[in-house]
Amino acid sequence: MLDTRALGRQPGTSRRETPRVPAPEDFGVEMVGVPAGAVIELDLRLEAVLEGVLVTGTATVPLEGECARCLDPISDTFEADFQELFVYPDTRSGGNAEDDEYRLEDDLIDLEPVLRDAVLLALPLSPLCRDDCPGLCAECGVRLADAEPDHHHDVADPRWAALHELTGGDAESAPSAPASPTGGSGGPGPRGTDRRERRQEG
């Protein structure tokens, strides 16, 4: 909470504050955010205007998360700028304030909703450990930044996938193909044997 009583509701009066506040819970997006309880450094300018108090500031927050490509941990700092008008509830503008406008309560300002909007909307949805992160190998999952320059995998023809499963990956040990129904040099059947035997007997 920020106390604005020192401004005296005198338009044009201003003051600067640099508070350090703990980060609230769930202060982040899916892959990166501010750890709960971490210190948020604020640089604020509070200015009294006719309708209320105009707050302009910068929030410097520590970030922790993981890279969207290689899943390595990320630790960094981030700055978010914001500006918001907090209206007096006992003025005409304050009495007619919309639901999305902020009001002062007993000359106090609750800055958390403004900070949450300013920081969360500015955070990257797909953070990277570095701009040129190559990510992970799609075949084995190794981190490509640590792999050899010629890292690659021989991709088998998908038409032979069933054969590799039967032979444990060794194509030479695969069972031979079944004989053709019409016979042939590669697959003599029992009928052909019977015909030769009958010729010899006759």
Side-chain angles (χ1 to χ4, degrees), residues 96-170:
N96 297 324
E98 301 293 336
D99 292 338
D100 59 348
E101 291 183 302
Y102 296 100
R103 295 182 177 89
L104 286 95
E105 299 293 340
D106 297 326
D107 292 320
L108 299 177
I109 288 177
D110 181 6
L111 202 58
E112 181 180 334
V114 175
L115 284 177
R116 189 175 291 275
D117 288 346
V119 173
L120 299 193
L121 292 177
L123 288 179
L125 296 179
S126 299
L128 300 177
C129 59
R130 68 186 201 204
D131 291 339
D132 60 345
C133 174
L136 302 176
C137 175
E139 296 295 327
C140 66
V142 70
R143 187 171 181 266
L144 292 176
D146 299 330
E148 296 294 331
D150 59 348
H151 179 83
H152 71 282
H153 297 273
D154 294 329
V155 181
D157 190 325
R159 292 173 295 180
W160 294 99
L163 178 61
H164 281 287
E165 291 180 3
L166 290 173
T167 62
D170 185 1

Side-chain angles (χ1 to χ4, degrees), residues 38-145:
V39 176
I40 299 177
E41 298 181 357
L42 300 174
D43 186 356
L44 307 174
R45 182 175 184 268
L46 283 64
E47 181 181 2
V49 295
L50 288 174
E51 298 87 357
V53 176
L54 181 66
V55 180
T56 304
T58 300
T60 303
V61 299
L63 293 181
E64 290 185 3
E66 61 182 21
C67 177
R69 292 179 185 169
C70 69
L71 305 182
D72 269 11
I74 294 175
S75 182
D76 201 356
T77 57
F78 180 78
E79 288 189 355
D81 297 326
F82 56 90
Q83 184 177 70
E84 193 63 54
L85 174 64
F86 290 80
V87 298
Y88 297 123
D90 55 355
T91 62
R92 176 176 299 180
S93 58
N96 297 324
E98 301 293 336
D99 292 338
D100 59 348
E101 291 183 302
Y102 296 100
R103 295 182 177 89
L104 286 95
E105 299 293 340
D106 297 326
D107 292 320
L108 299 177
I109 288 177
D110 181 6
L111 202 58
E112 181 180 334
V114 175
L115 284 177
R116 189 175 291 275
D117 288 346
V119 173
L120 299 193
L121 292 177
L123 288 179
L125 296 179
S126 299
L128 300 177
C129 59
R130 68 186 201 204
D131 291 339
D132 60 345
C133 174
L136 302 176
C137 175
E139 296 295 327
C140 66
V142 70
R143 187 171 181 266
L144 292 176

